[in-house]
Amino acid sequence: MTVTFRALLGASVAFTLAGAALAETTITVATVNNGDMVRMQGLMDDFNAKYPDIKVEWVTLEENVLRQNVTTDIATGGGQYDVITIGTYEVPIWGKQGWLASLNDLPADYDVNDLLPAIRGGLTVDGNLYASPFYGESSMVMYRKDLMEAAGMTMPDAPTWADIEAAAKAMTNRDAGINGICLRGKAGWGENMAFLTAMSNSFGARWFDENWVPQFDQPEWKATLDFYLNLMTNYGPPGASNNGFNENLTLFQQGKCGMWIDATVAASFVTNPKDSTVADKVGFALAPDNGLGKRGNWLWAWSLAIPASSQKQEAAKTFINWATNKDYLALVASKEGWANVPPGTRTSLYANPEYAKVPFAKMTIDSINSADPNKPTVKPVPYVGVQFVAIPEFQGLGTSVGEIFSAALAGQKTADVALGEAQSLVTDEMKAAGYIK
């Protein structure tokens, strides 16, 4: 009997161990290589302690590469990733296609009603939340207060593009290696075209008229591109056609930019003394306007979603809940300070008196609230989206036009030639897609 009992006990232990091994799940998370996402990877000890049976493998990619890889995988049902980092552009399109798993069954402590309405609305399709925002952003002006003061100038809280040009001119000092302004020039629908599309809204431009006819042959787009190219040629850094978000962030942190108009999420990085040589010299203002009722700022959320093809959706939901709930914000605050908490997703964050002390908190939420994806332009348009057009074809169109405009910034073609090429290319593609005859 004793031998039999021991044998049974040994078998039971072996079975238990085998069961534990089987219960362990590994999920693959695809994400962008920006500071907030990298910071999350550095805080994984908290997740591992809470969920020891879930292992996370990271695929961290540059923004354009991430978009290409994730789009290919999800469109083909490849199942390579269990959690993907996607934006406000993809969610409504992919949700309608049935490519994403609903997140309506996240646990109660996720507190979906705490999400900022503008951000939640952009991630919801037919009542289903298809992605959880990791951080939300608009865009704004970040500028060197010391250089403005030295130039005898004051940055308005709500500047015009004329104010920006005057400040860029005043702060440019080539001998000292200081460029008056740094802006995105790297080709990509989410790189230079995110900036230029938002900028064009403030100039009265639009991608399409109400009948989906492309508008790059109109004077508003010429005014936009001429102003951008002149600003960057006269006061921008050399090689600007290669610079996206990360490159300009580095330039600003190194003290080589008088101004940078980009994502509000960058504020925590340019004011972090660990990384930024100008951390105590940065001021903030709303994105510029031209007096037409629209500012040149966008609305975006980098969010975590689950492909419908994932075979590990429960473990993926556990990870998303950890990474995007209020407890995660408190975790970052405890480790890195309130200034480094992922912004722009939750109402409770902006009601927090500690976060209210962060110098850019109010400008960030004001910028987010001023963007209207349903009425993004001065003139009527048939599309939704501030810095993008929420149609499946835009990803290809935006990248192709971005390449044309980046080449113009590099001096390879004039603004007129670039606009003519953009008009012809987009017209051909919209005809082929059946939007126009």
Side-chain angles (χ1 to χ4, degrees), residues 363-427:
M363 193 62 72
T364 294
I365 194 64
D366 287 349
S367 297
I368 288 173
N369 288 338
S370 72
D372 185 354
N374 294 306
K375 294 181 180 178
T377 57
V378 175
K379 298 177 182 178
V381 290
Y383 54 85
V384 171
V386 180
Q387 78 279 22
F388 57 82
V389 178
I391 57 174
E393 293 79 9
F394 183 76
Q395 189 164 347
L397 291 173
T399 297
S400 295
V401 174
E403 290 169 352
I404 294 170
F405 289 172
S406 186
L409 180 58
Q412 297 169 7
K413 59 189 67 178
T414 66
D416 288 343
V417 169
L419 290 166
E421 291 181 3
Q423 179 70 13
S424 178
L425 182 149
V426 177
T427 299

Side-chain angles (χ1 to χ4, degrees), residues 242-310:
N242 297 313
N243 294 345
F245 174 86
N246 284 329
E247 292 80 9
N248 284 325
L249 171 60
T250 299
L251 286 171
F252 195 94
Q253 288 176 325
Q254 293 174 347
K256 296 180 180 179
C257 304
M259 280 181 295
W260 180 29
I261 305 173
D262 212 298
T264 52
V265 73
S268 68
F269 300 111
V270 298
T271 57
N272 186 341
K274 294 179 182 178
D275 304 311
S276 176
T277 63
V278 297
D280 60 343
K281 301 177 175 67
V282 185
F284 305 96
L286 293 173
D289 72 1
N290 261 342
L292 301 177
K294 294 292 178 182
R295 294 201 165 271
N297 62 303
W298 61 65
L299 183 66
W300 185 257
W302 275 121
S303 303
L304 302 180
I306 302 172
S309 56
S310 169

Side-chain angles (χ1 to χ4, degrees), residues 101-256:
S102 172
L103 300 181
N104 280 5
D105 58 348
L106 287 172
D109 68 354
Y110 175 76
D111 194 3
V112 68
N113 292 321
D114 186 46
L115 296 178
L116 289 171
I119 300 296
R120 179 181 176 182
L123 304 175
T124 301
V125 181
D126 297 331
N128 283 294
L129 183 72
Y130 279 114
S132 177
F134 184 72
Y135 67 76
E137 66 178 42
S138 184
S139 52
M140 64 183 177
V141 182
M142 293 161 276
Y143 66 93
R144 289 275 298 278
K145 293 186 290 186
D146 58 326
L147 297 181
M148 286 290 286
E149 183 178 349
M153 302 181 71
T154 301
M155 177 67 73
D157 286 340
T160 66
W161 283 107
D163 293 328
I164 295 299
E165 184 175 34
K169 181 178 181 180
M171 287 191 284
T172 297
N173 186 340
R174 301 293 192 199
D175 293 337
I178 298 174
N179 308 286
I181 192 162
C182 295
L183 301 172
R184 297 188 187 195
K186 179 188 287 187
W189 71 265
E191 282 282 9
N192 66 337
M193 289 314 297
F195 176 83
L196 280 166
T197 300
M199 179 183 180
S200 76
N201 294 339
S202 66
F203 278 72
R206 50 188 176 166
W207 267 76
F208 305 101
D209 70 9
E210 293 168 280
N211 297 311
W212 293 103
V213 176
Q215 298 293 290
F216 291 100
D217 60 352
Q218 296 301 301
E220 293 88 351
W221 260 110
K222 177 167 172 53
T224 303
L225 192 59
D226 279 343
F227 188 92
Y228 167 81
L229 294 177
N230 289 335
L231 195 65
M232 292 297 284
T233 299
N234 294 326
Y235 314 119
S241 61
N242 297 313
N243 294 345
F245 174 86
N246 284 329
E247 292 80 9
N248 284 325
L249 171 60
T250 299
L251 286 171
F252 195 94
Q253 288 176 325
Q254 293 174 347
K256 296 180 180 179

Side-chain angles (χ1 to χ4, degrees), residues 32-47:
V32 66
N33 66 338
N34 64 31
D36 280 294
M37 296 300 186
V38 172
R39 181 179 289 129
M40 175 170 59
Q41 295 174 44
L43 296 172
M44 284 298 291
D45 284 350
D46 183 80
F47 178 82

